[in-house]
Amino acid sequence: MPVATKTALTLRPATPADAAVCGQICYDAFAHISAQHNFPCDLPSAEVAAGFMTMLFSTPGFYGVVAELDGRVVGSNVLEERAIIAGIGPITVDPTAQNAGVGRRLMLDVIDRARSRNAAGIRLVQAAFHNRSLSLYASLGFDVREPLSCIQGTPRQRSVAGCAVRLATPADLDACNALSHRVHGFDRGADLAHSTQRGTALVVERAGRITGYSSHLGFFGHTTCESNQDLQALLASVDSYGGPGILLPSRNTEMLRWCLAQGLRVTQPMTLMSIGLYNEPRGAWLPSITF
Ligand SMILES: CC(C)(COP(=O)(O)OP(=O)(O)OC[C@H]1O[C@@H](n2cnc3c(N)ncnc32)[C@H](O)[C@@H]1OP(=O)(O)O)[C@@H](O)C(=O)NCCC(=O)NCCS
């Protein structure tokens, strides 16, 4: 006669000591789902994923949570808490433990956390080919906001007339944050200050003032501009984009066609989703893989 087994799922805050196990799970989970759909994995290796988790589990402004099933770590989730809008991800569950409610518990935990800290809204970026994550997020109350195209390559054009691109400095932060308020209704000042310190942030100037900025041109950075011209100047200024690529709102078809004319390639479709405050952006912009 089979012996009934009872499993106990518990959640606890993540620590840097969890990074190796969670990094392995993160890599396995993304590699598994991407391979099923014949897409390249978003992460090159478990080691890179572990390094990413170490950063997320040890940097102020990020909250990590780990799920344990009978004492074994089976997944994790992260909430970015550096702006009035909170961002979720990466959430990953060990492929051997998926589709059994772990992901839902990890999502509910960070949603509760964001609400308890009075976030005005919560956002995430979802792999559009992943039926399960779309269904999970929609059933938790997330609205589809924007179809995104992940884009990679080297642009043919290397500058845009009338636009000057340079590294951002701390003196630019006020102008960049004011621009973000005009376009999105809130700023991401802490993120931008950190990126400026790390030397990844860029600004574009047109007619003597800052008309666009990027915390990092790639998967992990966000970009906010007044116009497509400013966004083109930023995209033209580098040889390639970080990680799998930039995330372009596909409804910005003028920009999508510009990217295609530059010889850039679409690598995968993604979807921006949100709960709570969402202002339709008034400008040209790229979300990060968080929001
Ligand atoms: C996405 C992920 C975190 C979800 O975790 P999980 O433990 O597998 O998910 P859960 O079992 O808690 O929830 C899945 C839900 O989707 C539902 N679902 C699954 N496939 C579905 C489908 N095709 N249509 C409708 N609903 C579906 C399940 O029934 C379940 O709903 P329920 O909570 O109402 O029962 C996990 O699958 C994962 O790690 N995937 C790979 C990495 C990834 O894509 N991460 C997310 C990046 S956006």
Side-chain angles (χ1 to χ4, degrees), residues 159-165 204-209 211 229-230 233:
S159 63
V160 168
C163 297
V165 176
V204 52
E205 289 176 307
R206 185 162 44 84
R209 56 188 194 89
T211 49
Q229 190 187 359
D230 304 309

Side-chain angles (χ1 to χ4, degrees), residues 15-16 18-20 22-24 26 48-58 76-78 90 92:
T15 73
D18 297 310
C22 292
Q24 183 68 54
C26 182
V48 168
F52 182 42
M53 288 298 182
T54 302
M55 189 276 284
L56 294 173
F57 292 167
S58 59
S76 65
N77 200 1
V78 176
T92 50

Side-chain angles (χ1 to χ4, degrees), residues 27-276:
Y27 176 73
D28 290 345
F30 280 115
H32 185 75
I33 189 69
S34 296
Q36 279 182 353
H37 295 266
N38 207 20
F39 280 96
C41 184
D42 288 344
L43 294 156
S45 67
E47 290 70 34
V48 168
F52 182 42
M53 288 298 182
T54 302
M55 189 276 284
L56 294 173
F57 292 167
S58 59
T59 305
F62 293 87
Y63 161 76
V65 56
V66 163
E68 289 182 339
L69 202 54
D70 292 332
R72 177 175 74 97
V73 173
V74 290
S76 65
N77 200 1
V78 176
L79 185 72
E80 183 190 330
E81 311 180 301
R82 296 185 291 181
I84 63 157
I85 301 294
I88 295 179
I91 173 173
T92 50
V93 173
D94 186 328
T96 64
Q98 288 178 7
N99 226 10
V102 178
R104 177 169 289 269
R105 285 281 302 276
L106 284 168
M107 286 298 293
L108 286 171
D109 182 83
V110 298
I111 292 169
D112 282 352
R113 163 97 180 184
R115 288 195 169 132
S116 73
R117 294 168 70 91
N118 297 320
I122 313 172
R123 297 184 193 174
L124 57 82
V125 169
Q126 180 261 344
F129 57 77
H130 193 353
N131 299 343
R132 190 184 309 155
S133 64
L134 173 70
S135 308
L136 175 62
Y137 305 153
S139 70
L140 285 166
F142 283 85
D143 293 323
V144 169
R145 291 299 181 183
E146 198 75 50
L148 305 168
S149 294
C150 185
I151 290 178
Q152 185 56 280
T154 304
R156 294 194 174 103
Q157 197 176 326
R158 304 322 313 266
S159 63
V160 168
C163 297
V165 176
R166 62 168 172 80
L167 278 176
T169 72
D172 300 321
L173 291 178
D174 285 351
C176 292
N177 292 337
L179 172 63
S180 182
H181 272 273
R182 291 200 298 281
V183 173
H184 290 292
F186 66 96
D187 71 72
R188 299 171 76 168
D191 178 356
L192 186 59
H194 188 223
S195 310
T196 302
Q197 240 173 25
R198 290 174 54 215
T200 64
L202 298 172
V203 293
V204 52
E205 289 176 307
R206 185 162 44 84
R209 56 188 194 89
I210 290 177
T211 49
Y213 77 85
S214 178
S215 67
H216 176 55
L217 280 174
F219 217 50
F220 299 100
H222 72 277
T223 299
T224 306
C225 298
E226 277 186 7
S227 71
N228 283 345
Q229 190 187 359
D230 304 309
L231 183 52
Q232 288 165 10
L234 285 168
L235 294 182
S237 73
V238 295
D239 291 334
S240 64
Y241 310 114
I246 53 155
L247 297 169
L248 178 72
S250 308
R251 291 189 305 158
N252 188 347
T253 40
E254 181 187 287
M255 272 308 297
L256 184 54
R257 280 190 279 272
W258 181 87
C259 289
L260 299 175
Q262 293 301 316
L264 305 178
R265 306 294 292 176
V266 176
T267 57
Q268 63 168 299
M270 305 195 102
T271 308
L272 177 71
M273 302 182 80
S274 75
I275 284 178

